[in-house]
Amino acid sequence: MVLVLKNHEMEQLLPYRELLGRLVEMMEVAFREYGNKVAVNRPRSRMYIPTQEPNTHYWFNNIAGIVPGFRAMALRIDSSLAREVQRDGKRREEYPGDYVGLVLLFDTDTCELLSIMDDHFHSPIRVAATSAVGSRFAARPDSKVMALFGSGEQARAQAVAFSLVHRLEQIRVYSPNADRRKNFAASIETDTECRVLPVDSAEEALRDADIVNASTNSSDPIFDGQLLEPGMHVTTIVGGDYRSKRDEIDRTACLRARTILVNTREQVEQDRQGNLYELLQEGRLRWEQLHELGDVVAGKVRLRQSPQDITLFKNNHGMGIQFAASARLIYEEAKKKGVGTQLPSELFLTKREGVWSP
């Protein structure tokens, strides 16, 4: 049977902290296999066409990857509208209206389609698990204070994931809406198991922090890179692409980092991503300064040379191996608990008749 899972069904499978804890460990396995050239990933591909609405495009997105250790191949696809808007004095990317977002999970031993899942539930958790893996290898081991920018689903997932790999004592949250950041801070204290404080400015969030995490949908920088202090580890999740230059951190933050971590260099170049790509083109950064997460997890690269180094993880794009990890975890839990709608496998199988040739 093929298991169909909706967002609300996946939300009920596991306590949030347990879900992220298990996914962080699986994500580390996925990136280690990728760094050792066992897992396979294809660059994210996006297509846009203009619509009649101002600043709005039809958007199709696809991401694919295989993690043999999980016997999992995942394909993520999205059919949606994408719109750039101005909010709080900054450009932001929004996706108006209903859309189709799916993750297809295949078993690499049997070639079967195992599950068709909504993709929305996957995105915050697989991004956060990846960020947390990066921080495990790049942040100082004694990191205790986190500056968190954002107060949405991505920020929640990032806060919980980081609290699982670091002994955080305090998280300072800043986002432009005071009521929203206050309510958000109160809502995540239980899952992060540490004190969470809403603060009134980027400067207050950053002061004496060990870890800086930007988890917004802003297309423009949200703090001044000059405010970064020696020893900080910075994570940002906005990657952008060729259609729109997007970056939630500024050039100064990129240039002050002694080492820069990315998911893949190939995507930076293919999508001409934000400040990183421009600085590389100008010769102010070199490609050799960008290290891939898979190589770091596989032990091929050591990022932090000194406790005073500023390190930057540009968690710059979705990868199929991320979805292979999250989809396998969710599928196994749903199957165990009898959650989801079952469809006959025969609907998706093609019977071989004679010799098959592509």
Side-chain angles (χ1 to χ4, degrees):
M1 304 296 285
V2 176
L3 194 60
V4 179
L5 291 166
K6 301 297 291 178
N7 289 312
H8 70 275
E9 294 172 320
M10 292 183 277
E11 289 170 1
Q12 305 303 317
L13 288 174
L14 288 167
Y16 200 61
R17 188 172 176 84
E18 179 184 347
L19 170 71
L20 273 164
R22 291 170 63 179
L23 186 55
V24 167
E25 301 312 314
M26 291 180 70
M27 203 64 72
E28 184 169 330
V29 171
F31 275 94
R32 183 174 293 110
E33 287 197 8
Y34 186 63
N36 286 324
K37 304 190 184 307
V38 175
V40 180
N41 198 82
R42 290 289 173 262
R44 178 184 68 186
S45 176
R46 290 177 166 180
M47 295 181 288
Y48 297 92
I49 57 171
T51 69
Q52 295 181 347
E53 294 293 323
N55 300 318
T56 304
H57 288 74
Y58 169 77
W59 171 67
F60 188 83
N61 181 45
N62 73 90
I63 301 171
I66 303 171
V67 181
F70 304 142
R71 306 188 327 276
M73 187 281 169
L75 171 66
R76 185 258 188 105
I77 57 172
D78 297 282
S79 174
S80 176
L81 296 178
R83 177 181 300 161
E84 188 172 87
V85 300
Q86 286 275 347
R87 294 196 191 283
D88 304 312
K90 296 186 183 299
R91 295 178 302 127
R92 297 184 182 274
E93 188 85 342
E94 294 186 351
Y95 302 89
D98 296 333
Y99 72 103
V100 175
L102 300 173
V103 178
L104 278 63
L105 174 67
F106 297 86
D107 188 288
T108 56
D109 284 351
T110 66
C111 306
E112 292 177 285
L113 175 63
L114 299 178
S115 185
I116 303 171
M117 310 179 186
D118 282 343
D119 77 335
H120 181 80
F121 180 72
H122 288 265
S123 277
I125 61 172
R126 56 96 189 169
V127 176
T130 303
S131 294
V133 171
S135 74
R136 177 177 277 170
F137 288 86
R140 297 195 328 270
D142 61 350
S143 295
K144 292 182 174 61
V145 178
M146 179 180 186
L148 177 63
F149 292 85
S151 54
E153 288 178 283
Q154 288 280 5
R156 177 197 179 205
Q158 299 276 329
V160 175
F162 274 67
S163 74
L164 287 158
V165 300
H166 300 287
R167 295 181 180 177
L168 295 181
E169 296 176 355
Q170 185 182 100
I171 299 174
R172 301 192 204 115
V173 178
Y174 176 72
S175 65
N177 185 299
D179 288 337
R180 182 176 172 88
R181 67 176 177 258
K182 180 180 178 181
N183 293 334
F184 172 80
S187 73
I188 66 169
E189 275 204 333
T190 299
D191 281 336
T192 58
E193 297 184 355
C194 73
R195 191 180 183 197
V196 184
L197 300 175
V199 296
D200 295 329
S201 67
E203 291 82 357
E204 189 177 353
L206 288 167
R207 193 175 301 120
D208 298 325
D210 305 304
I211 290 171
V212 179
N213 184 290
S215 299
T216 75
N217 65 349
S218 178
S219 299
D220 295 323
I222 55 177
F223 61 81
D224 184 348
Q226 290 289 357
L227 295 171
L228 296 179
E229 299 171 8
M232 284 180 165
H233 172 62
V234 183
T235 301
T236 170
I237 66 171
V238 171
D241 58 32
Y242 61 88
R243 181 182 66 89
S244 176
K245 178 185 178 297
R246 303 185 63 219
D247 218 320
E248 58 187 346
I249 62 171
D250 62 16
R251 287 175 154 224
T252 301
C254 296
L255 291 170
R256 293 193 64 202
R258 168 144 186 188
T259 53
I260 299 174
L261 182 62
V262 295
N263 289 340
T264 66
R265 296 186 196 92
E266 185 176 16
Q267 202 80 48
V268 174
E269 185 170 22
Q270 175 182 297
D271 286 351
R272 305 193 289 277
Q273 289 183 329
N275 290 324
L276 275 190
Y277 183 76
E278 291 182 351
L279 291 168
L280 288 161
Q281 292 300 106
E282 294 168 10
R284 300 182 70 188
L285 287 177
R286 303 185 314 278
W287 285 103
E288 294 76 19
Q289 292 176 260
L290 273 59
H291 304 288
E292 296 193 350
L293 180 58
D295 289 338
V296 172
V297 177
K300 298 178 180 180
V301 176
R302 181 184 173 193
L303 286 180
R304 182 171 286 278
Q305 305 300 316
S306 161
Q308 299 302 303
D309 288 350
I310 295 174
T311 55
L312 168 64
F313 181 17
K314 186 80 167 173
N315 190 349
N316 63 315
H317 65 93
M319 296 179 69
I321 61 171
Q322 298 169 326
F323 287 97
S326 63
R328 177 58 88 172
L329 171 60
I330 289 169
Y331 170 75
E332 295 297 343
E333 283 299 314
K335 189 170 65 167
K336 185 183 349 179
K337 295 175 179 175
V339 175
T341 302
Q342 294 189 346
L343 297 177
S345 299
E346 288 75 13
L347 291 173
F348 305 95
L349 284 174
T350 299
K351 297 294 185 182
R352 293 184 188 270
E353 295 180 3
V355 177
W356 177 77
S357 176

